[in-house]
């Protein structure tokens, strides 16, 4: 059974959300691990421990829609 255009759009939107959120969590983990490494190195050398960095900007609805449009454009041009 084929899907309706609405179902396809919903799947693309869900895929876009997944991609954007995975990217956010990867950046968040990288930021935390980098700070932990720098803090450990500072403790070992007796240096000043760096301030904890802020998390990356949480994705907005616009970010998700932008990614969905990129995915749709890719599918349309395939």
């Amino acid at each position: 059974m084929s899907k309706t255009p609405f179902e396809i759009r919903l799947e693309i939107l869900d895929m876009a959300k997944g991609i954007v959120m995975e990217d956010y969590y990867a950046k968040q983990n990288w930021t935390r691990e980098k700070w932990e490494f720098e803090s450990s190195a500072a403790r070992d050398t007796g240096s000043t421990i760096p301030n904890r960095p802020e998390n990356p900007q949480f994705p907005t609805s616009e970010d998700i829609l932008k990614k969905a449009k990129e995915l749709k454009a890719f599918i349309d041009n395939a």
Side-chain angles (χ1 to χ4, degrees):
M1 181 172 167
S2 59
K3 296 181 182 191
T4 68
F6 297 108
E7 291 171 322
I8 294 169
R9 289 175 64 195
L10 183 59
E11 283 187 11
I12 291 172
L13 188 60
D14 190 44
M15 288 172 54
K17 179 183 175 190
I19 292 168
V20 169
M21 292 307 296
E22 283 179 25
D23 185 50
Y24 167 75
Y25 289 123
K27 288 177 183 175
Q28 185 183 41
N29 286 336
W30 183 84
T31 301
R32 180 183 40 80
E33 288 175 6
K34 181 177 181 263
W35 176 77
E36 287 174 355
F37 175 79
E38 291 172 349
S39 296
S40 177
R43 277 189 222 96
D44 292 345
T45 62
S47 301
T48 303
I49 297 174
N51 292 332
R52 187 175 195 107
E54 291 186 27
N55 282 327
Q57 180 70 31
F58 194 80
T60 63
S61 298
E62 289 82 22
D63 296 329
I64 295 169
L65 290 174
K66 180 181 174 187
K67 181 56 75 176
K69 288 176 184 176
E70 290 174 15
L71 292 172
K72 185 179 178 312
F74 174 77
I75 292 167
D76 290 344
N77 292 326

